Amino acid sequence: MRTRVLALKGARVRRSFVCKKIEFGVIAGLVVFAGTLCANAQDKQTNSPTAPSAHQTETDEYTRYELLAPDTASFKIYYEVTATTAGAKRFYNAIRKGSTASDEAVYDAMTGAALHFQVVSGADARRDPLMASASADTDYIQVDLARTIPENGQGRVIIIKTYKDAKSYYSEGDSIVFNRPLGIRRNKVVLPAGYELTACNVPSQVLSEPDGRISISFMNASAGEAPLIVRAKLGAQTGTAAAPKAPTSGRSWEAPFAGESERARLSERAHQDRDIVYFLNPPETHSFSLYHDYTESHPGADKYLNVVRTGSTVSNPSAYILDTGEVLQSKIMTGAELAAAKIDTEGESVSPTTQVVVIPFTPVKKGESVRLRISETYTAPQSYRLDSDDLVFDRSLGRPRNAVVLPEGWYLTASAIPATVQQLPDGRVRLDFWNGRPDAVDVLIKAKRIKSSAIGP
């Protein structure tokens, strides 16, 4: 049984694509690649420093490209990005060479409020110590952040701009072509109304916008740019005839198990805002610490519930708001205690003995959002164990982006699911699993102890 999560007064994975204060149709979907179990454990658990960095750092980038009329050679960009340099008051976004930018606007993702910005030269950007390596021949959008980035926190920003770039977006015969290498790892491209998709060279989800426009969306887990080429031509329906039917809660009749609903399968995977990092403790303990980040944007949502899956027990929960650093209260309740307290689980089946982590927070206002970091320790003998001399981590992971950090003194010998691998500054090995499919991956990791002579003093 997989872990399931829900937010009270809000859908389990509910994101609005219309923010009244922003009025541009997308909201921040964030993913964090290095983080903490709690604020006082930051140094040990991440590969990001806690002191202010010598340069600007960022994470969770997501870009939405809306192709405008072909004869304009222009496309509108919604760029969601999270600044992560503790103490920073500004953020800089480079204007891509070869593109002419116009119609810029910048918003704070937490409140939806417009932020002050200006376009500056590379020479001007270099005056900021965090941008000492700025390119002299590049212009930058300089953003005044809504809040100084807190220690171990974030500053979520949404940048809107229109690019004109005839080398990237052009007509070829009866087709339009969007040919652009994309370095951002999560992207969506929306075709103009009336155009059908005829080719896409990067494996992508194909989805329909609420107004019927066709889009492609993908995650790029590779180290390099995605060499995206999208082709389309006239032929798609427009207007009300193009609008898709609302997805249902029906499940695939072919699945040999209770598969995901149509609604879940047709949600945009690359834009989902939950991510999780597991830090494996010594395998003899059968325990692992973790943090998972989650953005709540549904008006009125005031609690987060994490239903602990069968076979696991939870301890040491904690949480705080990444946007502000505010520490939240958290507690462990049973299903019976939830029922006695009349806490609504929105139809989620919770047995009387099931553990549930409950985290209340100030109700979310309309047009706003909060980004939570929730830390817990799990003990799960079946998922995490020793098999003779082998460390074994065997667990189904449902997030689009998951990471597992091996304990100190162990080296990787097997990973059944493809992953990117890196060694952290403290010598531990980290695996990142990016799953663009709307389902879980059954991760199986094995490791062995490093020879004592190789560990050093």
Side-chain angles (χ1 to χ4, degrees):
M1 176 177 172
R2 300 183 179 118
T3 302
R4 291 178 289 181
V5 291
L6 58 132
L8 294 186
K9 298 186 181 179
R12 293 180 179 84
V13 188
R14 181 182 295 164
R15 297 303 309 270
S16 169
F17 280 84
V18 179
C19 179
K20 294 297 185 181
K21 289 188 178 181
I22 300 177
E23 298 181 342
F24 56 76
V26 290
I27 57 179
L30 305 172
V31 59
V32 177
F33 292 97
T36 64
L37 297 179
C38 57
N40 62 6
Q42 184 93 358
D43 284 337
K44 178 175 177 61
Q45 299 291 33
T46 77
N47 59 344
S48 297
T50 57
S53 300
H55 61 278
Q56 173 175 286
T57 57
E58 59 200 70
T59 190
D60 302 340
E61 300 94 331
Y62 169 89
T63 307
R64 172 186 171 103
Y65 299 86
E66 291 191 357
L67 304 186
L68 305 180
D71 58 358
T72 67
S74 299
F75 41 92
K76 193 169 186 177
I77 296 174
Y78 302 91
Y79 179 48
E80 304 175 10
V81 62
T82 299
T84 57
T85 310
K89 299 180 179 181
R90 287 177 171 171
F91 179 79
Y92 295 81
N93 173 231
I95 295 175
R96 185 159 168 168
K97 296 176 184 178
S99 299
T100 302
S102 63
D103 301 327
E104 296 97 336
V106 184
Y107 297 90
D108 175 46
M110 181 180 181
T111 65
L115 297 178
H116 177 268
F117 71 93
Q118 59 182 325
V119 177
V120 300
S121 67
D124 288 334
R126 285 184 176 185
R127 294 191 177 97
D128 189 323
L130 298 181
M131 293 296 292
S133 61
S135 176
D137 59 351
T138 298
D139 288 337
Y140 293 82
I141 298 175
Q142 175 185 283
V143 179
D144 293 336
L145 297 172
R147 295 163 297 281
T148 300
I149 298 176
E151 191 75 15
N152 305 323
Q154 302 179 348
R156 296 181 293 132
V157 176
I158 302 168
I159 299 172
I160 305 173
K161 52 191 174 184
T162 296
Y163 275 176
K164 183 172 184 177
D165 190 338
K167 291 185 177 179
S168 294
Y169 180 37
Y170 52 87
S171 296
E172 189 174 84
D174 63 351
S175 297
I176 58 171
V177 181
F178 186 66
N179 183 347
R180 193 172 179 87
L182 300 181
I184 299 303
R185 303 177 78 184
R186 301 185 297 137
N187 301 277
K188 185 175 193 177
V189 178
V190 183
L191 302 181
Y195 280 81
E196 60 170 311
L197 178 68
T198 59
C200 178
N201 68 329
V202 174
S204 304
Q205 278 187 300
V206 179
L207 303 168
S208 291
E209 298 295 293
D211 61 7
R213 288 178 296 166
I214 304 300
S215 64
I216 64 101
S217 174
F218 67 90
M219 301 192 303
N220 174 26
S222 70
E225 295 180 327
L228 182 67
I229 303 176
V230 174
R231 295 178 179 272
K233 64 180 182 179
L234 286 169
Q237 298 185 44
T238 58
T240 57
K245 289 179 57 179
T248 70
S249 58
R251 301 176 187 274
S252 171
W253 65 272
E254 286 197 337
F257 49 84
E260 300 290 347
S261 69
E262 181 184 66
R263 183 177 297 108
R265 294 163 71 192
L266 292 178
S267 64
E268 187 191 352
R269 187 72 165 173
H271 199 242
Q272 290 181 14
D273 61 12
R274 300 173 187 261
D275 68 275
I276 189 165
V277 181
Y278 298 82
F279 300 93
L280 304 186
N281 297 321
E284 296 85 356
T285 68
H286 304 294
S287 71
F288 44 88
S289 300
L290 61 84
Y291 75 82
H292 52 104
D293 292 352
Y294 158 66
T295 300
E296 179 56 72
S297 60
H298 187 256
D302 62 357
K303 293 181 181 68
Y304 178 87
L305 270 67
N306 183 32
V307 180
V308 179
R309 76 174 78 180
T310 301
S312 299
T313 57
V314 68
S315 61
N316 303 320
S318 64
Y320 68 97
I321 297 176
L322 283 164
D323 303 290
T324 63
E326 177 189 353
V327 177
L328 302 174
Q329 299 298 312
S330 58
K331 59 182 176 179
I332 301 171
M333 300 179 70
T334 63
E337 290 170 334
L338 283 177
K342 297 183 178 180
I343 296 178
D344 182 15
T345 60
E346 292 194 335
E348 186 78 14
S349 178
V350 179
S351 75
T353 59
T354 296
Q355 287 185 308
V356 182
V357 177
V358 182
I359 300 169
F361 49 85
T362 302
V364 176
K365 296 179 182 179
K366 187 176 182 180
E368 299 187 0
S369 67
V370 292
R371 180 76 169 165
L372 309 178
R373 173 160 289 172
I374 301 159
S375 302
E376 301 158 318
T377 297
Y378 279 80
T379 302
Q382 289 183 310
S383 295
Y384 183 41
R385 62 190 187 275
L386 270 177
D387 181 7
S388 185
D389 294 331
D390 287 343
L391 174 156
V392 179
F393 183 71
D394 183 359
R395 199 166 179 89
S396 180
L397 306 183
R399 304 284 182 261
R401 293 163 296 280
N402 309 270
V404 178
V405 179
L406 299 184
E408 185 177 358
W410 293 79
Y411 70 95
L412 181 66
T413 61
S415 176
I417 300 297
T420 58
V421 180
Q422 62 175 307
Q423 188 172 54
L424 303 182
D426 63 7
R428 291 177 299 162
V429 172
R430 171 174 169 145
L431 298 88
D432 282 271
F433 300 92
W434 283 52
N435 177 26
R437 294 163 41 122
D439 57 8
V441 291
D442 294 328
V443 167
L444 174 60
I445 294 171
K446 293 191 175 186
K448 289 186 179 293
R449 295 183 193 273
I450 297 172
K451 292 173 60 176
S452 57
S453 60
I455 296 177

